[in-house]
Amino acid sequence: MRYLTIALTKGRLAKRTLELLEKTGITCEEMKDPASRKLIFTDEEHKLKFFLAKGPDVPTYVEYGAADIGIVGEDTILEEQRKIYEVLDLGFGKCRMCVCGPKENEELLKHQEFIRVATKYPNIARDFFYNKKHQTVEIIKLNGSIELAPIVGLTEVIVDIVETGSTLRENGLQVLEEVCPLSARVVVNPVSMRMENERITQLLKEIKAVL
C-alpha cells in the first residue's frame, strides 16, 4: 500500500489540523517537536506522509500530485485557482474577505465609480469587482500592511482578510462590503481521488465524524 501524502499549511492551520487528526486516531508525534528540521513526517501505521508548506504553495503541491490531500484556507484556494477538488469545510480558521476603507469611501462603492484597490489577493478582488459588482477598478497588489494604502492615499479601499477588525478600527478604517466567508478546507488531487477513492473517502468520513 502506497503512502497518502498530506500537505499542511504552516502555522495555526497545521496545529488545528493535527489536533483534529488525533481525534481520528492519526498521530504524528515527530511533527510536534519544535526543534525538528525534518521536512517530511510519516505515520507508518496509517501509511500517511505529512509535510508543511506555505499556504499559497499547498494548492500547487496538490494540483501537481506531490500531495494527494491538502489543508488550506479558502482564501488561498480562491486566489490560486488551481485544478483541485475542494471536498470538505473544516469549520475552523474562520474569517471574512472584505472590502475595507474609510467610511466616506462607501459612496464610491455604491455608485460604481472608478477606484483603486490595494490587496494581496488580486484574483479574488478582480472577480468580486468585475464579475459580481460590474465595477471597473484598478487593482494594486501589495505584500505588506494593506491597511496603509488608503491611509496614505495610494488607494480608496482594500480587499483583505478580516478576523476581529481591530487593526482596521485602530487605523480609522472599517468593513464596507463582505466579499465572502472563509475557513480551512480539505482539497484533493483529482487523480488521487480516482485512484485512491476508497482510502480518501474513508479518511474524510472519519474527519467529518469528529468535526
Side-chain angles (χ1 to χ4, degrees):
M1 189 161 72
R2 80 172 187 89
Y3 288 93
L4 278 184
T5 302
I6 302 175
L8 304 177
T9 300
K10 283 179 176 175
R12 279 187 300 177
L13 280 194
K15 191 170 178 288
R16 291 292 302 271
T17 305
L18 290 170
E19 286 166 6
L20 183 67
L21 290 172
E22 280 190 352
K23 291 181 187 170
T24 71
I26 295 166
T27 53
C28 195
E29 287 302 320
E30 56 180 355
M31 275 189 96
K32 292 181 187 171
D33 176 9
S36 176
R37 314 272 1 119
K38 283 183 76 171
L39 295 174
I40 296 189
F41 305 89
T42 312
D43 176 341
E44 289 296 345
E45 188 192 339
H46 298 93
K47 281 290 193 220
L48 296 173
K49 277 185 182 170
F50 299 91
F51 65 86
L52 295 167
K54 283 199 164 180
D57 294 339
V58 170
T60 309
Y61 282 115
V62 175
E63 181 184 41
Y64 285 95
D68 301 290
I69 299 166
I71 314 289
V72 69
E74 172 79 348
D75 53 310
T76 307
I77 298 167
L78 294 172
E79 182 60 30
E80 292 299 312
Q81 301 178 345
R82 296 285 176 180
K83 294 182 179 71
I84 51 180
Y85 293 152
E86 187 183 320
V87 293
L88 184 61
D89 181 351
L90 294 174
F92 55 76
K94 282 191 174 178
C95 47
R96 301 176 294 157
M97 185 70 72
C98 298
V99 180
C100 313
K103 171 78 176 147
E104 61 269 22
N105 287 349
E106 198 165 17
E107 289 302 308
L108 302 174
L109 297 171
K110 286 180 185 162
H111 303 304
Q112 313 287 64
E113 289 192 38
F114 178 79
I115 55 171
R116 288 188 299 195
V117 181
T119 187
K120 290 178 188 172
Y121 303 94
N123 288 328
I124 293 175
R126 201 172 287 113
D127 178 62
F128 179 71
F129 280 103
Y130 283 66
N131 300 330
K132 294 192 177 76
K133 283 178 65 70
H134 307 294
Q135 181 172 357
T136 305
V137 297
E138 181 183 353
I139 291 165
I140 298 173
K141 186 177 190 304
L142 292 177
N143 301 299
S145 301
I146 304 293
E147 295 85 8
L148 196 57
I151 297 169
V152 298
L154 175 66
T155 65
E156 282 77 22
V157 297
I158 61 173
V159 169
D160 203 15
I161 291 174
V162 176
E163 283 187 63
T164 63
S166 56
T167 310
L168 292 173
R169 285 190 294 277
E170 278 172 31
N171 292 288
L173 307 175
Q174 63 184 56
V175 172
L176 303 176
E177 288 185 347
E178 184 173 313
V179 177
C180 60
L182 303 169
S183 58
R185 308 291 166 108
V186 180
V187 293
V188 179
N189 173 278
V191 176
S192 302
M193 197 65 181
R194 239 185 6 258
M195 308 295 284
E196 296 284 354
N197 188 277
E198 202 174 309
R199 287 174 73 196
I200 292 172
T201 306
Q202 181 58 34
L203 181 60
L204 294 171
K205 202 183 286 180
E206 287 166 12
I207 291 171
K208 266 187 205 165
V210 297
L211 278 178

